[in-house]
Amino acid sequence: MPRAERPLDSDGSSLTDFAGDLRKLREQAGAPTYRELAGRAHFSASSLAEAAGGRKLPTLDVTLAYVGACGGDTTSWERRWKELSEELSGNGVASEHPPYAGLSAFGAQDADRFFGRDQLVRQLCELVAARRFTAVIGPSGSGKSSLLQAGLLHARAHGRNGLETGPSVLITPGPRPMRRLTGLDPDALLVVDQFEELFTVCRDAEERARFVAALGEHHVVIGVRADFYAHCAQYPDLVEVLREGQLLVGPMTTDELRSAIIDPATRAGCRVEHALVAKVIEDATGQPGVLPLVSHALLETWRRRKGNLLTLVGYRTAGGITDAIARTAETAYESLSPDRREIARDVFLRLVALGEGTEDTKRRLSLTELDDDASAVLEHLAQARLVTVDRTSVEITHEALIRCWPRMRAWLDEDREGLRRHRELTAATDAWEALDRDPGTLYRGVRLALARELPRLTTREREFVDASVALETAEQTSARRRTKRMRYLVALLAMLLVVSTVATIRAVRSEATVTAQRNSALAQKAAAAAMTLRQTDPALAAELALAAYRLEASDETRDGLLSMVTAPVAGHTDYVNAALFTPDGKRLVTAGKNKTVRIWDLSNRREPRQVALLDIGHNAHSLAMTPDGRRIAVGGGGTLAAQVWDISGTPAKIATVRGHTDVIYSVALSADGGTLATGSWDHTVKLWDVATGQELSTVGGFTLNVKPVAFSPTGHTLAAGSDDRTVRLWDTTDPRHPVELGVLTGHENFVTSAAFSPDGRYLATGSDDHTVRLWDVAARREAAVLRGHEDVVMTVAFSPDGRTLASGAIDRTVRLWDVGKRTPRDVLRWTEGFASVAIGPDGTLATAANDATAQLWDLDVAHAEAVACKGSTHLTQEQWDRHFPGVGFDPPC
């Protein structure tokens, strides 16, 4: 039987009454044991028993966990705990108005608690007094909005720091920035905060240009995030004024941080422990975008104060600057019912503007975009100070929430393309309603098919999709009646065009030249037609591509033929993220979003056979293999864990590692399979002992997300690339003490992929800047820039002999490069963008595209010709004449 509780003292004190009422609450809940209570409250049984012991006041977190586990009213108990805390402190002079702003920016009305930026405020006011246009530039979380509002606007309103008293107007651009300028007082100081909304929220390029031009008519101060500075260079008017009138907002000095910590508390009648001040300064120094994290952590510490004293214990209980935001957000989310959690997830995703070459930003959302059932959720999130709601709109209180809450990052990373499509659907719905539901604005074709797959549509979005479906159905019915008539007309016009063109050219050129040009044009058109037919009639598409190649053996028709004879590797039920050959080329390993890794026997390349299925338990986003093919590593996909498997026999998991504070994007295995490297969006790379699963070391130096990691196959060199556009190299001979070898710079956007050549001489990297770069590893310098892709390069891989480099991109092409000559060789095309590419020992290419299959490509033209004819239904005279008019009937098969 559980031991009976110690009787409470009979001193009649408030602390004894508090403990006694906690015990009564447990009795009313059915008298669960403290061990049972610990399972519900997620605190230890001893902590919960001590809370009802009557000897000392428990922490607020323990109290609320105890009450919640017993089914009590946490709101009233929190109020009671604070009243008792004040009483026990013996000093009730502290203000109940929070001295810190939390995630919110300090407004002009908050100037009395805005400390630490006096020098910067003076510099800004001097610039504004002297110039018609001033730009305040700094990274997210550096305090730009607070500087503009609690610093500049307050000084303007009271005629301080050399500014004359006068009217001011504060705006943000929003989706229709010109509307924000309507009716402005020409004598007012116009402050445009969050200027980056001009590029993230406003989609009308013409209106952006007009807005920038209109700013020249006003006395203007703009606040813009540093990673959008280059966007401003698109406008000559901005370039001119930014040369002189800009103020860079950097991190606070130690003295400024101390003032921002102590002075607001002192003004509110509170004291701050010296140990707390030292700890906050230690945690914040050198950290980018840290001010909202500091402010939120101090706000939560103030809520956990002992009387009027802010303590280090309270700070640590709140989670400090690293975890306080995540804990607040997670607590608010978990306290919702399952149905309302889904609504909250949808709201948060709608409140983010996805970055394109920049970090994600917050997005102001009109309340009309949401259904009525979201109002209670918004109220709940607003009470937690995670969102700010006004009469017509809602927005995330600060972008730090996007960076620091792992659950939200996982949501955003789960299906970014789907989120972009959803945002486009919302904008299309707005336009449809703004134009009185004009049918001309409705979706059709592929856009409609993709929109119908989107989850969690609002009522108005569903009405837009339903109206689009009804219109498309009606149009298809009408189109079928016109098809027969149009076929004859198009055929006649096409024939007349060919005849007319040939007749004109023959008048000025020789017959031989005309024939060659005709054949070239027809071959290219036939190759394009084959690409169109690949999904609906692959046999006809392959023979048509072969006929085009036979008619004119050009690079384009050769690439078209090779693209026709791929062998699908089908089995995954969702996107295939990665594909790797074993060293002997006899097996292929694929990783997919459906939480599985599959191993395929390639004895018959045309019909790969699945021989093993590994249940990973999460989206298998990245894949790595040891040079001997015995071990693989799997990671990524929005999780904080990575796994290592032995696949030399029956596949067996031999290690699972955890330790990153944000999602793992990529994995790599050392040549001996004993060391695992993981790259994470927490800006670090970790090295792990595969045998024990223990962390060996952490390396950093990056300022943004780490994406690719790769080990040299011939030694101990580790490479990692980052969204900060750098690639770093380490010597991991002793993985417990890696030695940094150097930093490679040159990419102009995020580094997305990396691979070493088999001899370790070169490192290839792909980037959001659409280029592939070759680096001389020994010399630590750029050896070549390979250009040709038209979108993000997601994957790079060398052939086993090191002579060929393959790169795959979102532009739906794989490009093969001659490493020695640094020149392009082949371009292979698919219907979706590529996520992974690998080259086998016999030259076979494996790819993973953004669909549910991997692909095997045979790059031997002679073999491709044989494959094209193998399943041929044979081109008919009619089909030949349609694609090759004027050319004698000569089918290739």
Side-chain angles (χ1 to χ4, degrees):
M1 294 181 60
R3 185 174 58 188
E5 286 188 287
R6 179 188 64 81
L8 292 170
D9 296 334
S10 56
D11 56 5
S13 68
S14 299
L15 182 58
T16 301
D17 291 343
F18 187 85
D21 289 344
L22 282 176
R23 293 185 178 189
K24 290 178 184 177
L25 184 62
R26 185 167 73 92
E27 291 296 326
Q28 294 168 2
T33 66
Y34 280 110
R35 186 177 298 278
E36 293 172 336
L37 211 59
R40 306 176 193 172
H42 304 294
F43 278 90
S44 67
S46 60
S47 296
L48 297 171
E50 187 179 21
R55 293 179 180 270
K56 65 178 184 178
L57 180 66
T59 66
L60 179 59
D61 282 348
V62 171
T63 301
L64 297 182
Y66 187 117
V67 172
C70 294
D73 181 358
T74 55
T75 302
S76 62
W77 275 93
E78 180 176 2
R79 183 168 56 251
R80 183 175 176 182
W81 182 92
K82 290 182 177 179
E83 292 170 351
L84 180 56
S85 175
E86 292 282 356
E87 178 184 337
L88 295 176
S89 72
N91 187 345
V93 300
S95 169
E96 282 303 311
H97 181 62
Y100 306 103
L103 292 177
S104 303
F106 288 96
Q109 72 279 6
D110 300 313
D112 61 341
R113 51 180 180 152
F114 179 57
F115 292 92
R117 287 299 199 187
D118 295 349
Q119 180 178 355
L120 206 58
V121 171
R122 284 194 298 272
Q123 292 174 351
L124 176 58
C125 290
E126 289 171 2
L127 272 175
V128 173
R131 301 185 57 82
R132 288 280 294 174
F133 194 104
T134 304
V136 176
I137 301 166
S140 176
S142 60
K144 300 183 297 299
S145 295
S146 298
L147 177 66
L148 291 173
Q149 297 179 50
L152 174 65
L153 292 183
H154 182 263
R156 166 86 166 178
H158 296 83
R160 297 176 181 173
N161 290 320
L163 289 180
E164 295 182 0
T165 304
S168 302
V169 177
L170 174 68
I171 67 170
T172 56
R176 302 299 302 275
M178 287 302 297
R179 293 181 179 179
R180 305 296 173 92
L181 301 181
T182 303
L184 287 185
D185 182 348
D187 297 325
L189 174 66
L190 175 61
V191 178
V192 187
D193 196 9
Q194 299 174 40
F195 191 76
E196 60 272 9
E197 283 190 3
L198 192 64
F199 311 106
T200 62
V201 179
C202 176
R203 295 299 180 185
D204 187 335
E206 182 179 342
E207 182 163 0
R208 283 200 296 267
R210 285 191 288 117
F211 179 77
V212 170
L215 293 181
E217 303 172 7
H218 300 272
H219 189 183
V220 178
V221 182
I222 67 171
V224 60
R225 256 178 42 181
D227 51 338
F228 284 87
Y229 186 75
H231 290 65
C232 298
Q234 302 172 25
Y235 301 95
D237 292 344
L238 282 181
V239 172
E240 185 66 28
V241 296
L242 286 177
R243 284 199 179 100
E244 301 293 337
Q246 59 177 275
L247 179 68
L248 182 63
V249 181
M252 282 186 168
T253 65
T254 298
D255 289 340
E256 289 173 334
L257 272 172
R258 184 177 290 109
S259 174
I261 296 166
I262 297 174
D263 292 348
T266 302
R267 192 176 186 89
C270 292
R271 295 178 296 117
V272 185
E273 278 186 351
H274 294 302
L276 172 58
V277 176
K279 179 61 176 171
V280 175
I281 291 175
E282 175 189 346
D283 290 348
T285 300
Q287 296 294 324
V290 78
L291 293 187
L293 310 185
V294 170
S295 185
H296 180 76
L298 288 173
L299 174 61
E300 294 300 312
T301 305
W302 176 81
R303 289 171 173 164
R304 292 164 173 80
R305 66 194 184 279
K306 295 290 187 181
N308 68 342
L309 180 65
L310 277 70
T311 67
L312 180 59
V313 172
Y315 174 77
R316 286 174 170 163
T317 302
I321 66 172
T322 56
D323 295 330
I325 292 177
R327 290 190 185 182
T328 299
E330 198 66 21
T331 299
Y333 176 77
E334 290 291 346
S335 65
L336 293 168
S337 66
D339 289 345
R340 288 187 172 180
R341 288 178 192 172
E342 284 299 309
I343 296 173
R345 180 182 188 275
D346 182 52
V347 168
F348 277 123
L349 291 176
R350 289 174 182 270
L351 289 172
V352 176
L354 298 177
E356 296 179 3
T358 58
E359 289 190 351
D360 297 338
T361 58
K362 66 179 183 177
R363 167 181 178 253
R364 185 177 291 102
L365 180 68
S366 170
L367 293 177
T368 60
E369 187 175 319
L370 302 173
D371 287 338
D372 293 341
D373 59 1
S375 57
V377 173
L378 289 178
E379 179 64 26
H380 177 77
L381 299 178
Q383 288 178 358
R385 304 194 72 179
L386 300 175
V387 303
T388 303
V389 184
D390 59 24
R391 185 173 57 85
T392 61
S393 63
V394 56
E395 64 178 343
I396 291 173
T397 306
H398 197 279
E399 288 162 352
L401 180 65
I402 304 173
R403 302 194 308 269
C404 299
W405 187 18
R407 184 187 294 274
M408 189 167 183
R409 286 258 31 111
W411 286 340
L412 290 167
D413 295 336
E414 184 177 326
D415 184 10
R416 294 179 71 83
E417 187 57 36
L419 292 177
R420 287 190 175 94
R421 290 201 301 266
H422 203 152
R423 197 74 75 248
E424 291 170 357
L425 172 63
T426 302
T429 303
D430 291 340
W432 180 56
E433 293 186 338
L435 296 174
D436 295 327
R437 302 198 167 191
D438 181 359
T441 62
L442 293 172
Y443 274 2
R444 295 164 177 82
V446 175
R447 296 179 73 192
L448 176 56
L450 293 174
R452 297 178 72 176
E453 297 175 357
L454 293 174
R456 297 179 297 277
L457 300 185
T458 60
T459 300
R460 55 197 290 273
E461 290 168 349
R462 173 56 59 194
E463 290 176 350
F464 174 85
V465 171
D466 290 345
S468 297
V469 171
L471 178 63
E472 184 176 67
T473 300
E475 290 178 342
Q476 288 174 345
T477 301
S478 175
R480 281 194 293 269
R481 291 195 294 264
R482 296 195 304 268
T483 299
K484 288 185 179 181
R485 296 194 302 269
M486 289 300 295
R487 281 178 182 167
Y488 295 119
L489 179 58
V490 169
L492 178 60
L493 290 175
M495 185 60 70
L496 289 174
L497 177 61
V498 172
V499 172
S500 174
T501 302
V502 170
T504 302
I505 295 175
R506 280 179 175 172
V508 294
R509 295 191 178 183
S510 71
E511 183 173 347
T513 302
V514 171
T515 301
Q517 290 177 341
R518 179 203 63 185
N519 289 352
S520 176
L522 293 177
Q524 291 187 36
K525 288 182 180 179
M531 291 291 293
T532 304
L533 289 169
R534 179 166 52 186
Q535 298 296 322
T536 57
D537 194 342
L540 176 59
E543 188 174 3
L544 190 58
L546 177 55
Y549 177 72
R550 295 273 179 85
L551 186 62
E552 185 193 53
S554 65
D555 289 345
E556 290 80 7
T557 57
R558 179 181 183 275
D559 294 341
L561 173 60
L562 295 177
S563 297
M564 287 301 108
V565 293
T566 59
V569 183
H572 288 278
T573 58
D574 206 333
Y575 288 172
V576 180
N577 296 318
L580 291 175
F581 285 103
T582 54
D584 59 8
K586 295 179 179 180
R587 294 191 298 170
L588 182 72
V589 183
T590 58
K593 189 178 179 182
N594 64 348
K595 305 179 182 179
T596 65
V597 168
R598 297 166 189 256
I599 303 176
W600 309 83
D601 183 340
L602 301 182
S603 299
N604 181 350
R605 292 296 173 88
R606 302 304 302 170
E607 296 179 2
R609 179 173 59 90
Q610 180 178 307
V611 294
L613 173 66
L614 285 58
D615 185 2
I616 303 303
H618 57 75
N619 175 9
H621 180 268
S622 58
L623 191 63
M625 183 183 296
T626 52
D628 62 7
R630 299 176 64 86
R631 290 181 174 179
I632 62 170
V634 188
T639 68
L640 305 183
Q643 303 174 18
V644 179
W645 290 70
D646 187 325
I647 62 169
S648 58
T650 301
K653 182 165 59 176
I654 58 177
T656 299
V657 300
R658 292 182 175 86
H660 282 289
T661 58
D662 206 336
V663 298
I664 293 175
Y665 186 87
S666 59
V667 292
L669 282 167
S670 62
D672 61 6
T675 304
L676 170 68
T678 54
S680 169
W681 285 12
D682 64 9
H683 307 179
T684 69
V685 177
K686 290 183 182 289
L687 297 178
W688 311 82
D689 186 323
V690 172
T692 64
Q694 297 300 308
E695 179 180 337
L696 299 174
S697 58
T698 300
V699 292
F702 298 107
T703 59
L704 292 174
N705 304 334
V706 176
K707 285 188 173 172
V709 291
F711 271 110
S712 168
T714 58
H716 301 279
T717 303
L718 173 68
S722 168
D723 282 356
D724 67 9
R725 308 180 182 185
T726 67
V727 179
R728 292 176 181 267
L729 301 174
W730 292 270
D731 182 345
T732 62
T733 303
D734 180 359
R736 295 183 182 276
H737 302 95
V739 177
E740 183 163 308
L741 300 175
V743 181
L744 308 179
T745 61
H747 277 298
E748 299 173 357
N749 212 317
F750 301 163
V751 181
T752 53
S753 50
F756 281 96
S757 61
D759 60 4
R761 179 182 176 186
Y762 293 112
L763 174 71
T765 56
S767 168
D768 277 37
D769 65 12
H770 306 178
T771 71
V772 177
R773 293 175 190 257
L774 275 180
W775 308 89
D776 186 320
V777 176
R780 316 280 191 266
R781 62 177 178 80
E782 186 180 276
V785 180
L786 308 180
R787 306 182 188 277
H789 285 292
E790 298 177 354
D791 208 331
V792 178
V793 180
M794 295 297 295
T795 174
V796 291
F798 283 91
S799 62
D801 62 8
R803 296 178 181 177
T804 302
L805 174 67
S807 58
I810 293 177
D811 64 7
R812 306 179 182 180
T813 68
V814 166
R815 292 180 177 267
L816 301 178
W817 310 85
D818 186 315
V819 175
K821 297 179 180 178
R822 315 286 201 266
T823 56
R825 202 181 74 197
D826 293 308
V827 181
L828 307 176
R829 305 180 188 278
W830 195 245
T831 56
E832 299 289 345
F834 290 95
S836 177
V837 62
I839 305 177
D842 63 353
T844 300
L845 188 75
T847 58
N850 291 330
D851 53 25
T853 65
Q855 302 83 31
L856 291 174
W857 306 69
D858 192 322
L859 303 184
D860 185 300
V861 172
H863 189 257
E865 290 180 290
V867 172
C869 283
K870 187 173 181 180
S872 171
T873 55
H874 303 295
L875 281 169
T876 65
Q877 177 79 53
E878 179 183 358
Q879 291 169 331
W880 179 272
D881 290 342
R882 184 185 314 135
H883 294 287
F884 305 104
V887 179
F889 182 54
D890 184 21
C893 299

